[in-house]
Amino acid sequence: MKRKELLRILVGWGFTFTVAVLLLILSDSKPYQILELKALDLRFNLRGSRPTDVDLLHIDIDDESLDKLGRWPWPRSYHAKLIDILAECGAKKVLMDILFTERLKDNPEDDVAFARAQSRSGIVYLPFYFLEDKQPPPPELKELLDKDITVSVEDAQTELNAGDDLLQDILPLAKKYVMDEAVRGLVRKNPDIKEDDLISAIEESKEWYLFAEEEAYIRGNLESYKLARFFVNKFAIDYQKQGFLKLKEYNRLSAPIREYIESIKGTGYINADPDQDGVMRRVPLFIKYEDRMFA
């Protein structure tokens, strides 16, 4: 091989290697990733839509519907009637993309009618969503609260040698975070635990003595903890059997009211994170919640 040919080959390899390294470095940059996302959009547009064999009927709530039936939200008896009609027409599944996470205080009979329609049909799926987790407290503060949840700002300041202004802001939130963590663990073990039993179990397991403020917080939130666990136990999958998966994790969720959880066939989360350019392109197929997994 001649010297010029060898030099040409070495230059080519060097150029290729340099470009590959640059692309590898730039691939983590935001401009490069946005460019790649736009290229992905272009590829999908060039591919065009593809037909599906699944028979789907989308029932929309549009301006015409609102003009005829009144402004949103509608009485839940409307949704109950719709389910009955769809079931009579032979629908195999009814997937609703409306969140029903609160009871109707002014019209509770509508909740009853809606739950009965779900139960009668046996084909209804209602959505839920995961809530962003509360910001965990600094490790030193969490360790201090694990020992004494009723610690005052002054005592915490002395123990941690921290500024009073900082602790004034973060200590109440940190206490709630630590109490939430403790209560979730006990409710996970005993989903039907009573208020007094829970208070006793927390004080015994954590060696705490709860003041009225901390006890009121736990009692006031117990039903939401129990509802979440009831929902998880009914619909989630045991994550321990799927330990090979690397999943996004949450520790808080907003579920339908209990009557609906008892009546529906299934559920699905509506969480989806936008890409770096702010466009929503994908939904996670699996999400981990405490010791369980939703798919």
Side-chain angles (χ1 to χ4, degrees):
M1 182 180 295
K2 295 181 179 180
R3 185 175 179 180
K4 288 185 177 180
E5 292 180 356
L6 179 60
L7 182 61
R8 190 182 302 116
I9 292 173
L10 291 176
V11 170
W13 284 356
F15 177 78
T16 303
F17 178 76
T18 301
V19 171
V21 170
L22 286 174
L23 288 175
L24 185 62
I25 295 173
L26 291 173
S27 64
D28 286 333
S29 67
K30 184 175 180 178
Y32 181 91
Q33 292 183 8
I34 291 177
L35 183 62
E36 174 60 26
L37 290 170
K38 299 304 181 185
L40 177 65
D41 293 340
L42 177 61
R43 293 197 294 272
F44 271 103
N45 288 332
L46 292 174
R47 188 201 71 176
S49 60
R50 293 183 177 180
T52 175
D53 295 331
V54 180
D55 294 327
L56 295 175
L57 172 65
H58 183 265
I59 301 176
D60 194 18
I61 299 172
D62 55 13
D63 291 338
E64 185 178 355
S65 304
L66 295 172
D67 289 340
K68 291 183 177 180
L69 299 179
R71 67 179 184 178
W72 189 262
W74 292 337
R76 292 180 183 175
S77 58
Y78 288 13
H79 305 300
K81 292 177 182 177
L82 176 62
I83 290 172
D84 288 338
I85 292 171
L86 292 173
E88 187 177 347
C89 291
K92 294 181 179 179
K93 295 180 181 179
V94 176
L95 283 67
M96 308 190 77
D97 63 352
I98 304 169
L99 292 166
F100 299 100
T101 57
E102 296 181 0
R103 287 185 170 83
L104 292 177
K105 296 180 181 179
D106 298 332
N107 202 4
E109 60 270 17
D110 265 18
D111 277 334
V112 175
F114 191 24
R116 286 176 177 171
Q118 296 165 18
S119 183
R120 275 195 305 271
S121 69
I123 57 174
V124 177
Y125 294 71
L126 293 183
F128 74 100
Y129 66 98
F130 293 101
L131 298 163
E132 290 298 327
D133 293 336
K134 297 177 181 177
Q135 186 68 28
E140 300 84 2
L141 178 56
K142 185 176 184 300
E143 183 179 354
L144 179 62
L145 290 172
D146 278 329
K147 295 177 181 177
D148 182 9
I149 196 65
T150 63
V151 66
S152 66
V153 174
E154 293 77 15
D155 290 341
Q157 182 184 9
T158 302
E159 288 283 342
L160 304 176
N161 193 25
D164 182 63
D165 292 341
L166 176 62
L167 283 174
Q168 286 280 8
D169 293 334
I170 69 172
L171 186 60
L173 297 177
K175 286 186 175 184
K176 291 178 180 179
Y177 182 95
V178 173
M179 286 188 288
D180 287 342
E181 193 174 59
V183 173
R184 283 200 307 266
L186 291 170
V187 171
R188 188 159 60 240
K189 295 177 182 177
N190 183 4
D192 298 319
I193 192 168
K194 305 298 183 183
E195 282 188 16
D196 291 339
D197 295 335
L198 175 64
I199 297 299
S200 299
I202 286 181
E203 291 185 328
E204 180 179 348
S205 62
K206 303 291 289 187
E207 297 183 350
W208 289 344
Y209 179 78
L210 298 172
F211 289 168
E213 183 179 356
E214 287 79 22
E215 184 173 330
Y217 176 79
I218 291 174
R219 290 182 184 274
N221 288 278
L222 176 58
E223 286 307 312
S224 63
Y225 297 129
K226 293 171 69 172
L227 178 68
R229 198 65 212 177
F230 175 70
F231 178 78
V232 169
N233 287 344
K234 182 173 181 179
F235 293 115
I237 304 167
D238 185 357
Y239 178 70
Q240 302 306 321
K241 298 178 182 179
Q242 314 292 335
F244 60 89
L245 293 173
K246 179 64 176 177
L247 307 180
K248 184 166 185 177
E249 299 184 26
Y250 289 95
N251 288 307
R252 300 168 63 223
L253 60 80
S254 182
I257 65 175
R258 191 179 185 97
E259 291 85 349
Y260 297 170
I261 297 174
E262 293 172 345
S263 303
I264 58 178
K265 175 71 173 179
T267 186
Y269 51 83
I270 59 173
N271 294 74
D273 296 326
D275 289 322
Q276 290 205 23
D277 58 353
V279 178
M280 204 82 71
R281 293 183 178 86
R282 65 199 85 201
V283 174
L285 295 179
F286 305 96
I287 290 181
K288 182 174 180 289
Y289 179 87
E290 295 184 349
D291 59 331
R292 300 294 182 93
M293 178 178 71
F294 283 91

